[in-house]
Every structure is written in C-alpha cells, then in structure tokens.
C-alpha cells in the first residue's frame, strides 16, 4: 500500500484543475494533518475546494500532529506545512507532497522524500492518467506559479516520452 502525506496547495490545485482523482490512482491513501484540513476549510478557499473537502473521499485521512515538536527551523513555515513535514517525518520513508520552496528545503534537510504538484502531474502523465499539456494549461489559469523553464522542460520530456513510448 502506497501512502503519502500532502500539504494544502497540491490538494487545492488538483481540485481546481479537475485532476484530484489522480491521487488515489497514484497512491492508495493520502494523509493530511488537521492543520491542512483547517486550511482547506478556510473561508478564503475556492468554492470547488470547499465542496470537495466537505465530502472528503475515503482515501484522504486526517491525522493529528503536535506542531510544537519540530524545532525552530519550522517556525518560518505556516502551520499546514509544519504539520505536513512533521507527519511525513513521523512515518517511515513517507513521500511528502509540498509546493512551498522553504517547506521543500526543510523536508530535504530532514531527508524526507518530497515532490510537488508538478511532480504529481508528471507521475500521472507517465502512467497515462492525465494529459500533461492540458493539466498544465489548466494549472496556469490558477494562481500557481512555476518557472517557465521548468514547465517547458516538463512538456518537452512529456512529448519525448509520447514519441518514443518510453516511461
């Protein structure tokens, strides 16, 4: 069984672009700390995300984490990121899905394997669960930001894989 931990942003973006269903196809279970659930339920959250989180799927599991146990290095991060890192650290060899650059740097410092929304979309595209160019176009219509060179590299790799039938 493949279990991952997710921060808020990837869940938000995958719901917003209509690709949240790729998570249970890639992973059997997605764990989120209660702080991430609170962020997903915040009044400023997009309506489609609020609607999704109110009818949470069975593959999404909420866990409690003491965010005060992480040390001062985590103080620069918001509560959801801190809790997601601590939850991933508490589990062994747990992949963390997190977009925030400072959060990813801290996860790397703690030797927590991690990826972000783009990594999830790439993994889904490799398995032919999603059309990467379409997903990236939808993602660009949100407030998601990534370097143009990174997006171009992902699209070039996707095209190469499609032409050669490689994974």
């Amino acid at each position: 069984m493949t279990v991952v931990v997710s921060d808020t942003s990837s869940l938000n973006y995958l719901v917003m672009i209509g690709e949240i269903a790729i998570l249970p196809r890639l992973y059997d279970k997605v764990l989120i700390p209660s702080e991430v659930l609170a962020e997903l339920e915040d009044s400023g959250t997009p309506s489609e995300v609020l609607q999704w989180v109110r009818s949470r799927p069975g593959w999404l599991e909420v866990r409690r984490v003491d965010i005060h146990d992480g040390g001062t290095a985590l103080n620069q991060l918001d509560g959801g990121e801190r809790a997601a890192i601590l939850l991933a650290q508490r589990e062994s060899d747990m992949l963390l899905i997190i977009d925030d650059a400072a959060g990813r740097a801290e996860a790397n410092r703690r030797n927590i394997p991690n990826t972000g929304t783009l990594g999830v979309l790439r993994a889904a595209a490799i398995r032919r669960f999603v059309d990467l160019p379409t997903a990236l176009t939808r993602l660009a219509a949100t407030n998601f930001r990534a370097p143009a060179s990174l997006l171009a590299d992902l699209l070039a790799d996707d095209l190469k894989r499609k032409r050669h039938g490689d994974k």
Side-chain angles (χ1 to χ4, degrees):
M1 175 180 264
T2 306
V3 181
V4 298
V5 172
S6 183
D7 184 27
T8 309
S9 64
S10 288
L11 296 172
N12 265 316
Y13 289 121
L14 291 172
V15 169
M16 290 171 64
I17 67 170
E19 297 294 353
I20 193 68
I22 63 174
L23 284 178
R25 294 183 75 190
L26 291 170
Y27 317 108
D28 298 305
K29 188 169 288 291
V30 177
L31 306 179
I32 61 169
S34 52
E35 290 81 1
V36 167
L37 178 62
E39 289 177 0
L40 290 168
E41 293 174 329
D42 183 77
S43 62
T45 300
S47 61
E48 62 266 37
V49 176
L50 283 171
Q51 181 180 356
W52 176 80
V53 79
R54 286 181 183 140
S55 59
R56 286 195 308 273
W59 50 263
L60 186 71
E61 186 175 311
V62 180
R63 298 267 178 97
R64 293 190 48 79
V65 178
D66 183 356
I67 62 171
H68 304 292
D69 288 344
T72 58
L74 290 177
N75 289 342
Q76 65 185 341
L77 305 175
D78 73 25
E81 291 158 353
R82 277 194 306 270
I85 288 170
L86 290 170
L87 179 56
Q89 185 175 323
R90 187 170 78 186
E91 307 291 331
S92 62
D93 297 319
M94 184 70 57
L95 178 66
L96 172 64
I97 303 171
I98 187 168
D99 285 328
D100 180 76
R104 289 180 68 133
E106 183 60 24
N108 287 334
R109 192 181 72 69
R110 293 168 182 252
N111 296 315
I112 299 170
N114 63 84
T115 191
T117 301
L118 295 176
V120 169
L121 289 172
R122 181 181 181 276
I126 288 170
R127 290 166 184 80
R128 295 186 175 97
F129 296 161
V130 67
D131 179 69
L132 190 60
T134 302
L136 293 181
T137 298
R138 287 188 201 135
L139 194 58
T142 70
N143 64 350
F144 184 89
R145 297 295 167 251
S149 60
L150 175 58
L151 298 174
D153 289 347
L154 285 170
L155 289 170
D157 286 348
D158 186 62
L159 183 59
K160 181 179 176 183
R161 204 173 30 256
K162 286 176 181 174
R163 283 188 179 152
H164 298 296
D166 297 346
K167 290 192 173 191

